[in-house]
Amino acid sequence: MRGCSCREALSSRCLCACSSLKLHRVGQASGEAARIHKNLSTVACLSAVKMTTDRELSEEGQCSTAVFTSHGVDITPRKDQGVLKVVKRPGMETERPMIGDKMFVHYTGKLLNGKKFDSSLDRKEPFTFNLGIGQVIKAWDVGLATMQKGEVSLFLCKPEYAYGAAGSPPKVPPNSTLLFEVELLNFKGELLTEDGGILRRIKVKGDGFSNPNEGASVNVHLQGSCAGRVFDSRDLCFVVGEAVDMDVPLGVDRAMDKMQKGECCLLHLKPRYGFGREGKPEFGIGPNADLVYEVTLKDFERSKDPWEMHVTEKLDLAVKLRQKGTQYFKAGRFQQAVIQYQRIVTLLEMECGLKPEQQQSVHSLLLVAELNLALCHLRLREYSQAVENCNKAMELDGENEKALYRRGEARLLRNEFSLAIEDFQHVLEVNPSNRAARTQISLCQRKIREHHEQDKKTYANMFQKFAEHDAKVGRLRKRKEECGGSNENRGLGIKRRHRSQECP
């Protein structure tokens, strides 16, 4: 027998463990026997390593570096021995964390003299951070990227990968080499939206600190897949905010302002940010499908920020954005319309001290933008946002009929019937011939009556249940009292019989 495959990597203890398996090499040995030998040898070797590391690290509480010398793997990109790793317990055979992922870990940190300086276990709460973006020491960004879920590993970290020459007073002295034991409990991608509709996982980190903005021109390579099937793979250019024109879903468009040049990421998109209820028949995508896009941002050119533009440039751009927003609205692409109208607000809301004609143009464009935003949010069933846009429109024109009516609609759909009636009555004050407002008032009044009737039924059922409960409790109490009285009478009868027997 030539010896186990771990000979050069492990200590003599490992060789002894392997030889104890008593598997002999025979010239005509079958492939199956060789495979069994390899698997059993690996298990024995890993067990020997674990026993060795546990013993070396536990002797008199001292954190020995010997285990890293004999079993440690240099995981630094430059192979400078700055971070050495030893796996104590392998994790699940799953994918590893990516840059930006949210990590959930337990850890214990020690100095080389064995003194513990920090531990999440003492706090009885996992530690969380985002990987690869400088939220933790460099050794952790390097080391934890190599782990799998459920894995427990030891890391020996040189000062330049830990707290450096400054240390972390008072617990970590300057120029300290540190030992960490880390358990990776879980990890998940970065959520780019509050509703969890876009989840990003970065495969390759980009360069610099600049990101595309609204209106930027981007050059990307993208590959879209659904249920493991690739349905789109191409290089293309598009304008951020208008990706739908190139059959690119909203989720990819909305992720652009988070990316950097050279970045490659995976975007997991819920249907709202994919192709929605309609699907995409030309790509073979059905309704309400989850999508995964791999996107590489090859290059981009930012659009001008508002502070870089003259007022005439802003006004010209605002007119184009209004036209684009109206185009999207008529096509039923309300989320894309919101992007265009919101850009108008961002462009113009801080403008002041202008010539009268320019100020009037700004005022008109802002009012139209807020009114159209309210209408889009009504279509998207985002009623609170619709109310907010109507309020902003009324700051520009307090008697605006459309703002009052749309706010009334949003309040009606939020079951705020009294407030909705006030808005519709205000509409009639502005325009007494508005028949839609009268109809809405009647609807609100009917809804109020229906809710009152429903409340009556609810309270009646509630009081009925209370009454039934009280009656049941009363019956039980009465039965208990009756049982108690009969027991007491029975006891008196027994006492009398005893006395009669005792009498001469």
Side-chain angles (χ1 to χ4, degrees), residues 33-156:
R35 185 184 65 79
I36 294 172
H37 166 234
K38 180 180 179 181
N39 290 344
L40 292 174
S41 299
T42 302
V43 170
C45 293
L46 288 173
S47 300
V49 171
K50 184 179 186 305
M51 290 188 292
T52 301
T53 55
D54 286 347
R55 180 155 55 253
E56 290 180 5
L57 291 169
S58 61
E59 291 176 357
E60 299 179 359
Q62 300 299 306
C63 295
S64 171
T65 59
V67 63
F68 291 96
T69 302
S70 56
H71 311 309
V73 177
D74 183 1
I75 57 173
T76 58
R78 294 184 293 180
K79 301 301 177 186
D80 58 8
Q81 302 286 309
V83 185
L84 299 178
K85 175 184 176 181
V86 173
V87 178
K88 285 189 68 177
R89 185 185 74 198
M92 302 177 185
E93 290 296 327
T94 58
E95 60 184 352
R96 287 180 167 80
M98 295 183 185
I99 298 166
D101 283 0
K102 188 170 186 178
M103 309 286 282
F104 299 81
V105 303
H106 268 311
Y107 71 93
T108 298
K110 294 182 179 181
L111 304 176
L112 288 186
N113 61 11
K115 183 178 180 181
K116 179 173 67 177
F117 63 84
D118 192 16
S119 177
S120 63
L121 295 169
D122 294 341
R123 296 188 290 274
K124 299 179 180 179
E125 184 177 12
F127 177 67
T128 63
F129 69 98
N130 293 97
L131 181 69
I133 59 175
Q135 291 184 354
V136 291
I137 60 174
K138 188 176 180 181
W140 274 41
D141 276 339
V142 170
L144 272 68
T146 68
M147 297 183 71
Q148 294 175 311
K149 184 178 178 180
E151 179 181 320
V152 179
S153 287
L154 304 171
F155 297 97
L156 187 69

Side-chain angles (χ1 to χ4, degrees), residues 296-425:
T296 302
L297 179 57
K298 298 194 290 186
D299 201 1
F300 68 91
E301 183 179 349
R302 285 176 60 89
S303 64
K304 283 186 177 181
D305 288 311
W307 58 268
E308 298 177 292
M309 302 172 68
H310 188 270
V311 66
T312 54
E313 281 185 278
K314 294 181 182 181
L315 291 171
D316 291 342
L317 178 57
V319 170
K320 293 177 182 177
L321 292 171
R322 183 184 64 186
Q323 293 170 347
K324 192 71 175 178
T326 302
Q327 175 188 327
Y328 285 142
F329 183 88
K330 289 180 177 179
R333 302 187 182 279
F334 304 120
Q335 290 172 308
Q336 285 82 1
V338 165
I339 294 169
Q340 305 304 314
Y341 295 135
Q342 190 57 53
R343 281 192 69 192
I344 296 174
V345 175
T346 303
L347 273 175
L348 302 178
E349 64 181 345
M350 301 304 292
E351 288 298 325
C352 58
L354 304 176
K355 296 176 181 179
E357 62 274 14
Q358 289 177 330
Q359 191 64 54
Q360 181 59 39
S361 296
V362 167
H363 183 276
S364 299
L365 285 165
L366 281 173
L367 182 59
V368 168
E370 296 290 0
L371 290 171
N372 289 349
L373 281 168
L375 190 55
C376 289
H377 287 301
L378 281 170
R379 297 292 186 271
L380 292 168
R381 301 181 181 181
E382 297 168 348
Y383 305 127
S384 296
Q385 189 61 53
V387 169
E388 184 177 333
N389 291 125
C390 290
N391 289 339
K392 290 181 178 179
M394 291 178 66
E395 290 175 7
L396 298 166
D397 179 4
E399 300 295 305
N400 187 276
E401 184 178 351
K402 289 182 178 179
L404 287 165
Y405 187 87
R406 289 171 188 173
R407 189 172 71 177
E409 280 188 297
R411 286 173 166 174
L412 170 58
L413 293 165
R414 291 171 64 182
N415 294 333
E416 298 173 341
F417 306 121
S418 297
L419 292 174
I421 287 174
E422 290 179 12
D423 281 335
F424 293 130
Q425 287 175 339

